[in-house]
Amino acid sequence: MARAMSPAPEPVAAPATATGAVPARADSGPQRALRRLGLVRPIDLALHLPLRYEDLTRVRTLSEARAGDEVLIEGSVIATEVRPHPRRQLVATLQVAGGGRCTLRFFTFYPSHQKALAVGSRVRAHGELRGSDWAGWTMMHPRLLSADAPLSQGLTPVYPTTAGLPQAYLRAAIAHALRQVDLTETVPSDALADLPLPLAGGPGGHWTLRAALQYLHQPDPREPLAALQDRQHPAWQRLKAEELLAQQLAQVQARRERDALRAPVLRAAPEGLPQRLQAALPFALTGAQRRVVAEIAADLARPVPMHRLLQGDVGSGKTVVAALAAAVAIDAGWQCALMAPTEILAEQHFGKLVQWIEPLLAPLGRTVAWLTGSQPRAQRQAMLARIASGEAALVVGTHAVIQEQVAFARLGLAVIDEQHRFGVAQRLALRRKAGASAAGLEPHLLMMSATPIPRTLAMTVYGDLDVSTIDELPPGRSPIVTKVLAAHRRPAVIERIRAQVAQGRQVYWVCPLIEESEALDLRAATATHAELAQALAGVHGPDGRPVQVGLLHARLAAAEKKAIMAAFAAGALAVLVSTTVIEVGVDVPNASLMVIEHAERFGLSQLHQLRGRVGRGTVASVCLLLYSPGESGRVSDSARERLRAMVETQDGFEIARRDLAIRGPGEFLGSRQSGTPLLRFADLDTDEPLIEWARRWAPRLWARDPAAAQRHLERWLGGKLDYLKA
Ligand code: ADP
Ligand code: MG
């Protein structure tokens, strides 16, 4: 994402000028760097907008500047030295034209700096001014410019760039592109007139695309910097609107392509599997579950592939909805594949579902097949044969289901649990795999997620999905009390655990596993396990048996993990110490206390997912978040906000909203999904009115002038279209 890129280091060689060389050899380093940034066509360069601007048009005096201003000053060097302490640095003092002195300080410097700052030299320095008249002025790492060169005529844009691509080169390439590029309008005037912002007032009386780009790339030096950098300015708004429109058009296109595909019509017979399954359930569906089941059934009965996201908070009961959808597919004579991100999750998420459905399949002579990475070869072969023959009505597994040579006889429905953990590439692979299924028919796709997608994201990145939401928890859930405690309160926490387990309750203790130091963290988890085992020695449960503490971590073999989980689920273990492998999916209603150590290290939705492991039964549950201030002696602001959010709300949607606010959309989506620059300029937080506008106009434009819509898409997205369709 362009905004996340850091600007290139300023040219360190001094004195430098702001005029750049024009692209030279065809495959020079900078050319390659341009390609890496996706800046290939003139339009790509034209749409690569500045991060900020530098005013190198005039030299300021210290008396007209204030602390915090970015200014260009000029003066003669009256002292220069390299100080070894406290950190090696080059320090020069400038007698500034117009009066006063300014200290220039460099922690990274080259002989060229020392040469430029030799006593007696005249130089210009550009940078942020710190200090004051009375305390003295300083610039850290200013850009040094020759005092002889003519001043710039316009404000100097600073572009997002990458290693090996100097600003000057990029500037020249963009200026060159702007002269060549075709900027014919693709957005019709009635759509522009409907924009929720005034476009009047541009250079030609109106902010055309060309006017907006010109304004931002080559700003008028009289334009205040603040206006240019304000993304609410009409020129920025115009570009954000264009970008959002392109994104919505891509989704209209994806949806149309999908609507042109054929899928099997899946409809259950009266008194069929779904009805029998529902009758066999130990509970009645909630209103919300009934509603989403109906939405899904309606999709399955259409001859076009479903592409639906089922979202519902942890514990809202998504599994039974998936089971009913699977039952519809099977009843109609098709196969259903269920996938979870890991083996242990596949088992936990779908174990119950299989228990429900398997007895209903047996009389029909159909079975369930498990596919996992760790299963013995012979067993795997047998499973594959069952899937290929169609005997397996239900196929449960990890990504292995889509990654390997699994041939389905008649795949009608694919269900992906915890879909946010699957990357775009995997979604594409699944669609391709699925496409190869039966007689040119694509299967229906149901994705499930416990991380609700905030509204603006749902309208943009996930805009081509249909969304069903379970907004109601099954009855009888008790609220969870969440408390934040400093790590030194650990003894009190352990005391609380003793009391809980003596009453027959069960406890989770989560230790974070951070990848960089897996071994260290594992040692910490092992130590915690030993500590708890010792503290609970001699404690007996209500059944009179001594309580046991288990340890679950990522390095255990799958079979060991399974055995430990089973022991905890059966109540044989009172306490489960675990690294984050229990993050999602475990269902042990008797667990009533969740302790999360180093809670400050977890992401907000992760914490929420973990907390969702308790409060599944009728007993009052508690979640204790232990934090340890880092070396700085304090917890970071964002960690503090996450912990506060946990205490203040249990609502998954509110959590997702706050998570988005704390992290921004790129990270919210997870690095695996945000690999494409979906939105460079628009901001999901502030630009909701523009998003709404683009949603309204994209289908109209497509219907009215598909060729213009296509041109608009090409212009904005070029080769990235494939990703948007995933
Ligand atoms: P999630 O949405 O997190 O996947 P699950 O499907 O695991 O939630 O459901 C959580 C628990 O709630 C399970 O034990 C499930 O059997 C139970 N459950 C689901 N629906 C209902 C319901 N309508 N009434 C009572 N319990 C339900
Ligand atoms: Mg689930």
Side-chain angles (χ1 to χ4, degrees):
M1 215 163 273
R3 251 181 290 168
M5 270 180 261
S6 59
E10 293 294 347
V12 283
T17 62
T19 57
V22 173
R25 277 185 301 121
D27 207 43
S28 60
Q31 289 274 313
R32 271 201 306 277
L34 281 178
R35 271 204 306 280
R36 251 196 335 270
L37 290 184
L39 304 180
V40 180
R41 310 167 299 169
I43 187 68
D44 300 329
L45 284 155
L47 297 178
H48 192 67
L49 294 181
L51 281 175
R52 58 189 181 87
Y53 302 86
E54 286 176 352
D55 185 356
L56 303 175
T57 60
R58 62 195 179 106
V59 174
R60 310 285 182 113
T61 61
L62 289 175
S63 55
E64 61 179 330
R66 278 172 317 176
D69 285 357
E70 273 207 10
V71 293
L72 180 66
I73 54 172
E74 185 177 320
S76 39
V77 180
I78 54 176
T80 296
E81 61 171 330
V82 174
R83 287 189 200 154
H85 300 292
R87 219 177 113 191
R88 196 175 131 82
Q89 52 187 287
L90 173 66
V91 183
T93 309
L94 211 59
Q95 179 67 49
V96 180
R101 289 178 180 180
C102 183
T103 305
L104 311 181
R105 206 180 285 277
F106 299 83
F107 290 109
T108 320
F109 56 92
Y110 298 88
S112 60
H113 283 96
Q114 282 165 281
K115 193 165 157 237
L117 295 172
V119 171
S121 315
R122 274 192 85 72
V123 290
R124 290 186 189 139
H126 179 268
E128 186 187 324
L129 209 51
R130 299 192 193 169
S132 64
D133 257 339
W134 44 273
W137 296 104
T138 309
M139 272 187 191
M140 306 287 288
H141 287 270
R143 180 136 85 100
L144 297 178
L145 299 152
S146 159
D148 305 324
L151 289 165
S152 305
Q153 293 300 300
L155 295 172
T156 310
V158 179
Y159 291 101
T161 184
T162 182
L165 184 57
Q167 285 290 331
Y169 187 97
L170 189 50
R171 255 176 234 137
I174 289 173
H176 184 67
L178 272 178
R179 285 192 295 274
Q180 295 187 316
V181 68
D182 168 20
L183 292 175
T184 327
E185 298 281 334
T186 42
V187 187
S189 51
D190 53 346
L192 291 175
D194 188 40
L195 271 173
L197 54 106
L199 283 182
H206 187 75
W207 287 101
T208 59
L209 177 60
R210 178 169 287 282
L213 288 175
Q214 204 75 40
Y215 174 85
L216 294 172
H217 282 297
Q218 293 163 351
D220 186 321
R222 287 163 305 185
E223 197 67 37
L225 268 184
L228 275 169
Q229 277 161 188
D230 174 9
R231 300 227 163 179
Q232 300 309 310
H233 187 282
W236 275 113
Q237 298 267 29
R238 172 71 214 254
L239 289 166
K240 293 199 272 192
E242 291 244 340
E243 175 182 49
L244 287 165
L245 185 64
Q247 209 231 6
Q248 294 297 329
L249 283 170
Q251 279 163 4
V252 172
Q253 188 187 37
R255 191 177 281 267
R256 290 172 66 100
E257 282 176 7
R258 189 149 46 79
D259 284 351
L261 299 172
R262 288 287 154 260
V265 170
L266 305 179
R267 213 183 264 127
E271 307 292 320
L273 267 183
Q275 267 192 24
R276 275 178 278 151
L277 173 58
Q278 212 168 322
L281 288 176
F283 49 76
L285 296 185
T286 62
Q289 284 170 322
R290 278 203 303 277
R291 175 170 45 74
V292 301
V293 164
E295 286 166 2
I296 293 167
D299 278 1
L300 294 178
R302 287 179 358 122
V304 292
M306 169 170 79
H307 202 54
R308 188 171 282 275
L309 177 71
L310 171 60
Q311 56 178 17
D313 211 345
V314 202
S316 61
K318 294 183 289 296
T319 317
V320 67
V321 174
L324 287 164
V328 171
I330 296 167
D331 200 72
W334 290 74
Q335 291 169 298
C336 174
L338 301 170
M339 277 161 288
T342 67
E343 218 160 289
I344 197 162
L345 289 179
E347 217 152 291
Q348 282 159 9
H349 290 201
F350 300 123
K352 210 171 231 176
L353 183 157
V354 169
Q355 277 173 28
W356 288 329
I357 293 191
E358 209 162 22
L360 302 176
L361 292 180
L364 309 175
R366 305 194 58 193
T367 56
V368 176
W370 288 87
L371 272 188
T372 60
S374 69
Q375 74 198 145
R377 215 182 128 71
Q379 189 188 355
R380 189 180 167 73
Q381 292 305 329
M383 294 291 177
L384 288 175
R386 277 198 216 168
I387 297 167
S389 74
E391 180 206 313
L394 203 56
V395 181
V396 188
T398 59
H399 317 174
V401 173
I402 53 167
Q403 279 167 348
E404 290 160 45
Q405 336 77 324
V406 184
F408 288 87
R410 282 161 70 78
L411 181 61
L413 170 66
V415 180
I416 306 183
D417 204 0
E418 303 303 337
Q419 90 83 30
H420 59 281
R421 289 216 184 174
F422 287 90
V424 168
Q426 282 160 328
R427 270 163 77 190
L428 278 172
L430 175 70
R431 300 252 317 261
R432 268 197 298 273
K433 157 116 249 150
S437 183
L441 294 180
E442 295 245 347
H444 298 276
L445 189 56
L446 178 64
M447 289 161 273
M448 306 202 284
S449 175
T451 307
I453 301 171
R455 190 179 133 76
T456 46
L457 268 183
M459 287 194 294
T460 53
V461 181
Y462 290 92
D464 76 317
L465 291 183
D466 294 307
V467 179
S468 289
T469 304
I470 307 186
D471 52 6
E472 177 187 357
L473 290 180
R477 297 280 164 83
S478 56
I480 306 165
V481 174
T482 303
K483 289 184 184 158
V484 176
L485 299 174
H488 66 79
R489 303 279 303 280
R490 200 179 170 102
V493 174
I494 293 177
E495 207 35 58
R496 188 170 204 140
I497 294 178
R498 284 174 67 97
Q500 288 285 310
V501 298
Q503 288 171 37
R505 301 271 160 252
Q506 288 172 280
V507 178
Y508 291 105
W509 184 298
V510 178
C511 312
L513 188 66
I514 310 285
E515 269 163 50
E516 306 93 74
S517 61
E518 198 179 317
L520 263 185
D521 287 312
L522 184 53
R523 219 179 303 154
T526 311
T528 299
H529 173 255
E531 178 189 1
L532 288 174
Q534 195 182 13
L536 300 180
V539 180
H540 295 262
D543 59 1
R545 285 193 297 187
V547 301
Q548 303 289 330
V549 182
L551 174 62
L552 189 68
H553 60 80
R555 294 243 181 116
L556 293 175
E560 287 177 279
K561 283 185 200 165
K562 202 186 298 180
I564 292 168
M565 276 317 304
F568 188 66
L573 293 172
V575 181
L576 184 64
V577 177
S578 162
T579 55
T580 46
V581 283
I582 57 159
E583 189 183 328
V584 271
V586 194
D587 193 28
V588 180
N590 190 44
S592 61
L593 176 58
M594 164 71 63
V595 181
I596 303 178
E597 217 177 341
H598 280 297
E600 78 281 356
R601 293 193 196 167
F602 288 91
L604 185 48
S605 52
Q606 239 181 340
L607 288 172
H608 179 67
Q609 301 263 347
L610 284 169
R611 174 171 61 183
R613 303 300 111 216
V614 295
R616 304 203 140 208
T618 47
V619 285
S621 295
V622 175
C623 174
L624 301 179
L625 303 174
L626 297 182
Y627 68 90
S628 318
E631 280 172 18
S632 62
R634 57 190 296 276
V635 172
S636 74
D637 286 345
S638 59
R640 193 184 305 270
E641 269 181 70
R642 293 194 294 271
L643 298 179
R644 177 178 312 135
M646 284 293 289
V647 173
E648 287 175 359
T649 181
Q650 253 188 72
D651 174 351
F653 280 88
E654 177 62 14
I655 293 272
R657 203 188 58 71
R658 295 205 195 184
D659 203 19
L660 183 65
I662 297 172
R663 294 200 284 165
E667 266 196 75
F668 181 91
L669 288 172
S671 53
R672 271 172 293 183
Q673 288 208 330
S674 62
T676 41
L678 292 172
L679 291 172
R680 289 181 282 171
F681 310 129
D683 179 324
L684 296 184
D685 251 359
T686 56
D687 295 328
E688 199 168 331
L690 288 178
I691 298 174
E692 308 260 14
W693 171 84
R695 295 256 294 173
R696 267 199 316 279
W697 280 92
R700 281 184 218 170
L701 295 189
W702 199 284
R704 202 197 283 175
D705 188 352
Q710 196 63 49
R711 272 205 311 282
H712 188 82
L713 264 177
E714 273 296 313
R715 174 177 281 177
W716 276 90
L717 300 168
K720 294 161 197 144
L721 282 173
D722 250 6
Y723 270 100
L724 287 168
K725 287 181 210 155

